[in-house]
Amino acid sequence: MGKIASELLWERLADWGVDTVFGLPGDGINGLMEGLRRNQDRIRFILVHHEEAAAFMATGHAKVTGRLGVCLATSGPGGIHLLNGLYDAKLDHAPVLAITGMQETQLLGTGYQQEVHLEKLYADVAQYEAMVHVPVQIPTLVDLAVRHALSRRSVAHLTIPNDVQVADADANPWEAVAPARPPATAPVYVQAPGLPRPADLERAAAVLNAGRRIVLLAGAGALGARDGVIAVAEKLGSPIVKTLPGKAAVPDDHPLTTGGVGLLGTRPSEDAMEQADTLFMVGTNFPYTKHLPEPGKVRVVQIEADPVRAGNRIPTEVPLVGDAAETLRALLPLLERHDDRSFLEAAQAGMADWREKMAALEDGERDPIQPQYLMRMIDRHAAADAILASDSGTIATWSARHFDIRGQRQYYLSANLATMAPGLPYTIAAQLAHPDRQCIAFVGDGGFAMLMAEVITALRHDLPIKVFINNNHSLGQILWEQMVLGYPEFGVRHKGAANYAAFVESNGGRAIRVERASDVEPAVKEAFRHLGLAVVDVVTNPDEPPMPPKVTYDQAKGFAQAFLKGQPHRATIATTLFRDKLSELGD
């Protein structure tokens, strides 16, 4: 049998440097699977248990490596399942290519089984969208899809009817009527220049030099610009505030940083934002505008890779369109050193107090187990270059505040979509990309239950990932959101904590069930010592609230109203809050 069309697809992706594809087979992609089988020496196929996980893994791969992530699903329901993970990629600007099957061409439009026009369904999520009609166009469509994904930092999608998948690779059955030949392109991509115009750099320097209370807000776009962020902040006497996806931009123990901003952030960061006269946004499009300074009260400079996103959260006096690292290097010589460090010193004093308060909540003698204590034990014993993936919800609060970036640690989560369940798939993708590094998933029982079968994926691929489940048998974030709105909680707690350790053990994995605080640290240490996959299922306090850095009047009022209206767990919640406050005062 000669070369089939689907081989062109995989050969071209291999030419682009793609070495891993995440997916699930189906009858709509049997031809694609055959082409992949014939190219398995160049591209490995990671068989998952749910297409949503495949898309999350492709997104995680793109985030961890900076390279293209690729996922594969069959026609109809398989392609539909990819969507949540693809929206995660779109909203967090991760380059991902989705490949799906389609009914054969002679049946399109007839309502044949599983006929879903994915090219229409994906119109919102994908920056580039194409259906393959003849085999000879495949290399060019792949080139265009990859370039769009990389340049726009977003999703591209190719869908291929299953009769085209197995057609002769050189098939071009229709006579050409246009003055053109079959398309021919090359698998080449050149990154756009990363430096803003000199005049813009000078304007930005003038604003920053005139500032007296400057805050540098670092986001995901600053992850590769650590040295420049620190050097500029040191020169300006500026505290470094970090968005959650930018958590690894600067080590958490660095004296210039006041940690995160927003509901999951720190009080010193909130104070700095409120008192600033100048805001320097580096690689961030931070969406929670209530936590930014009020428009008109600060001068704003922003480094942003996409000119469309520059200035769309707060009026920006000088947008600098370019790469964060390159721009900071060019800007640094133009900046004057600010010798008045009073604003920075006040932020540093506030941060020292904040760290004491957070440490007080990491109480290893309290039962039920404090989630803050679990997170700190993971932090204490994790490697200096660990990669941690966090789920959304209260999990994100504990990881944001009680897992520190030190050394070459990395941190990832679904930032803008804030979807449940990416933590485990991200960790699998990270371990495949970095087999010599420690890869950790910190997940809630709600997110873990959604895609828990992917533990079996990790086991079958001999991946030594470490999974820590904060098992509070509730949907914690929604619980507290309901109460802040003044509603007694409803429909957010499960009856009892499921035993996920038993599930893992029944499939051959190492699992530890923890129900007492005294057993947390030994279990964490044992998981990290274990050479293969290890899961630690920790039953934690469901009544521990993820308190914002500052409690507003409206939040306190809503909380009180929920109690007055019959909050069902008000006694245990009140007890937890009382013990938290005692811990803080005791330190």
Side-chain angles (χ1 to χ4, degrees):
M1 185 177 184
K3 180 182 287 190
I4 58 176
S6 64
E7 289 181 79
L8 298 175
L9 171 77
W10 303 118
E11 289 171 355
R12 196 60 153 205
L13 285 173
D15 291 341
W16 275 102
V18 171
D19 58 12
T20 305
V21 174
F22 305 95
L24 196 64
D27 57 6
I29 54 171
N30 280 334
L32 290 173
M33 292 299 295
E34 171 59 15
L36 190 53
R37 184 190 69 82
R38 298 184 189 189
N39 284 273
Q40 59 187 298
D41 59 328
R42 300 183 70 187
I43 299 179
R44 62 180 169 179
F45 176 66
I46 303 299
L47 174 60
V48 305
H49 287 79
H50 195 293
E51 290 94 351
E52 181 182 9
F56 278 140
M57 290 178 196
T59 302
H61 175 90
K63 288 183 177 184
V64 170
T65 66
R67 296 186 287 113
L68 182 74
V70 181
C71 54
L72 172 66
T74 191
S75 55
I80 295 169
H81 281 158
L82 290 177
L83 277 173
N84 194 44
L86 295 180
Y87 271 102
D88 184 33
K90 176 185 177 177
L91 269 62
D92 279 359
H93 315 298
V96 169
L97 172 62
I99 302 167
T100 63
M102 180 61 66
Q103 278 65 31
E104 60 186 76
T105 52
Q106 65 178 334
L107 297 173
L108 289 176
T110 67
Y112 190 68
Q113 184 191 33
Q114 295 187 339
E115 184 176 350
V116 175
H117 285 264
L118 297 173
E119 76 281 12
K120 297 178 181 178
L121 184 66
Y122 280 32
D124 180 61
V125 75
Q127 283 280 341
Y128 179 81
E129 171 69 61
M131 180 188 291
V132 175
H133 294 279
V134 293
V136 293
Q137 69 181 152
I138 288 176
T140 290
L141 294 186
V142 171
D143 290 347
L144 290 170
V146 173
R147 287 191 200 125
H148 274 81
L150 293 175
S151 63
R152 309 288 171 80
R153 308 296 295 178
S154 192
V155 176
H157 173 228
L158 294 175
T159 189
I160 310 178
N162 55 19
D163 55 336
V164 176
Q165 296 169 26
V166 296
D168 290 340
D170 59 356
N172 189 16
W174 314 114
E175 182 177 347
V177 294
R181 55 178 173 265
T185 52
V188 176
Y189 171 73
V190 178
Q191 183 73 37
L195 271 179
R197 290 182 289 264
D200 293 335
L201 290 167
E202 291 173 2
R203 289 173 55 225
V207 172
L208 295 172
N209 287 334
R212 290 295 173 262
R213 297 185 305 279
I214 307 167
V215 169
L216 192 157
L217 178 62
L223 290 176
R226 177 178 292 184
D227 291 346
V229 168
I230 292 172
V232 166
E234 171 61 33
K235 205 165 189 179
L236 297 174
S238 163
I240 301 170
V241 176
K242 301 185 292 183
T243 69
L244 194 48
K247 179 176 172 64
V250 174
D252 282 306
D253 58 359
H254 195 281
L256 290 174
T257 188
T258 56
V261 66
L263 290 174
L264 281 60
T266 72
R267 177 148 192 161
S269 291
E270 293 284 306
D271 290 340
M273 283 289 188
E274 291 172 1
Q275 297 162 17
D277 62 22
T278 307
L279 177 63
F280 186 16
M281 302 173 71
V282 179
T284 179
N285 190 34
F286 187 70
Y288 306 104
T289 50
K290 279 191 176 182
H291 298 279
L292 295 175
E294 288 188 33
K297 291 191 174 181
V298 293
R299 303 181 74 183
V300 181
V301 174
Q302 181 180 10
I303 299 175
E304 171 57 60
D306 185 347
V308 174
R309 294 198 299 267
N312 73 331
R313 302 300 185 192
I314 187 170
T316 302
E317 188 171 341
V318 186
L320 298 172
V321 178
D323 173 76
E326 291 184 55
T327 302
L328 290 169
R329 274 195 301 270
L331 184 63
L332 186 61
L334 305 177
L335 299 177
E336 300 168 358
R337 178 175 174 80
H338 287 49
D339 292 323
D340 181 359
R341 315 302 260 193
S342 57
F343 182 61
L344 173 60
E345 288 167 357
Q348 290 171 325
M351 194 59 189
D353 180 66
W354 175 265
R355 287 193 177 103
E356 289 182 4
K357 285 181 166 58
M358 292 300 100
L361 298 175
E362 300 160 2
D363 190 343
E365 297 182 358
R366 285 172 60 173
D367 286 308
I369 298 165
Q370 290 291 96
Q372 299 97 320
Y373 176 63
L374 168 61
M375 186 73 263
R376 182 55 70 193
M377 289 303 99
I378 297 168
D379 167 74
R380 183 174 297 172
H381 298 289
D385 66 346
I387 300 172
L388 185 135
S390 171
D391 264 354
S392 304
T394 55
I395 280 290
T397 302
W398 315 135
S399 63
R401 293 177 176 172
H402 303 275
F403 180 82
D404 288 342
I405 297 300
R406 298 190 295 274
Q408 298 305 309
R409 285 181 174 179
Q410 293 172 260
Y411 175 92
Y412 299 97
L413 81 167
S414 173
N416 288 292
L417 186 62
T419 180
M420 293 177 70
L424 177 58
Y426 276 18
T427 303
I428 290 172
Q431 194 72 79
L432 286 163
H434 297 287
D436 297 327
R437 292 178 68 174
Q438 187 182 77
C439 296
I440 306 167
F442 183 59
V443 300
D445 56 299
F448 181 78
M450 287 182 172
L451 292 175
M452 59 195 284
E454 302 311 326
V455 164
I456 304 173
T457 301
L459 285 167
R460 289 173 176 168
H461 288 89
D462 298 319
L463 300 177
I465 64 171
K466 314 303 174 189
V467 182
F468 296 92
I469 305 171
N470 184 71
N471 191 348
N472 61 9
H473 46 92
S474 67
L475 300 174
Q477 190 71 29
I478 308 306
L479 186 162
W480 300 109
E481 287 174 350
Q482 288 179 351
M483 292 185 65
V484 165
L485 291 171
Y487 310 140
E489 65 172 75
F490 180 76
V492 291
R493 298 201 195 220
H494 297 289
K495 293 182 179 180
N499 191 330
Y500 297 108
F503 161 73
V504 175
E505 286 182 337
S506 69
N507 284 283
R510 178 75 175 100
I512 307 169
R513 174 84 164 185
V514 179
E515 298 181 353
R516 295 185 60 82
S518 58
D519 296 327
V520 170
E521 187 169 21
V524 170
K525 292 166 72 174
E526 169 60 23
F528 285 137
R529 280 196 302 265
H530 184 66
L531 297 179
L533 176 144
V535 174
V536 183
D537 180 13
V538 184
V539 181
T540 58
N541 184 2
D543 297 314
E544 178 63 34
M547 299 297 288
K550 288 186 176 182
V551 179
T552 67
Y553 171 77
D554 287 341
Q555 289 168 336
K557 180 181 176 182
F559 208 78
Q561 288 177 338
F563 268 59
L564 292 172
K565 291 176 182 176
Q567 166 61 28
H569 293 270
R570 55 187 177 273
T572 52
I573 291 171
T575 299
T576 298
L577 288 169
F578 180 70
R579 294 181 72 183
D580 285 353
K581 185 54 66 176
L582 281 180
S583 295
E584 291 181 17
L585 294 174
D587 272 31

